[in-house]
Amino acid sequence: VQLQASGGGLVQAGGSLRLSCAASGRAFSYYGMGWFRQAPGKEREFVAAISWGGGTTSYADSVKGRFTISRDNAKNTVDLQMNSLKPEDTAVYYCAADGRRVRIGVRREEYDYWGQGTQVTVSS
């Protein structure tokens, strides 16, 4: 499956952005989907994930209550709505697909396919 992330940009602290990831190739609804991020000099970290049917979600503690992940299996997209953004949210954000079809994935190694990343910069 091929993934293309978009929607990043520059926003002031307290603002909002909506990231979108478009998938092509094998059946999108087969995969659990996740968002990760990587700030300069740091490891890539888990942000949010959603099960293949969309009924289960998981969030990193740092974004709970501010970010919402959703998917549209008819459109082959997964979105990340980011509200109340903070400077520490600045990173390259990646979408990823998990084909294991077991519990929801929160670790990098649980994901098989990755998009190219989109930059999010939050100014203070």
Side-chain angles (χ1 to χ4, degrees):
V1 64
Q2 292 80 44
L3 304 172
Q4 180 78 30
S6 61
L10 173 64
V11 64
Q12 288 188 332
S16 298
L17 279 175
R18 188 176 184 89
L19 305 183
S20 187
C21 177
S24 61
R26 294 185 63 182
F28 175 71
S29 60
Y30 181 88
Y31 295 90
M33 297 297 296
W35 286 95
F36 289 73
R37 66 186 181 187
Q38 188 166 17
K42 294 189 176 182
E43 295 285 320
R44 192 171 298 187
E45 65 175 5
F46 171 75
V47 175
I50 189 166
S51 60
W52 55 92
T56 304
T57 57
S58 180
Y59 297 91
D61 288 343
S62 59
V63 307
K64 265 180 197 172
R66 300 188 297 123
F67 290 11
T68 302
I69 189 171
S70 61
R71 69 186 296 160
D72 186 334
N73 285 345
K75 295 181 179 179
N76 286 4
T77 58
V78 58
D79 291 347
L80 185 69
Q81 177 66 44
M82 306 186 294
N83 298 329
S84 302
L85 282 161
K86 305 175 181 179
E88 51 264 43
D89 294 319
T90 295
V92 177
Y93 283 70
Y94 299 88
C95 60
D98 169 15
R100 296 170 305 128
R101 292 182 70 83
V102 288
R103 57 173 166 69
I104 202 165
V106 299
R107 299 182 300 166
R108 290 174 56 183
E109 54 268 30
E110 293 172 325
Y111 286 80
D112 306 296
Y113 302 98
W114 293 82
Q116 85 291 359
T118 184
Q119 176 71 47
V120 171
T121 303
V122 184
S123 63
S124 56

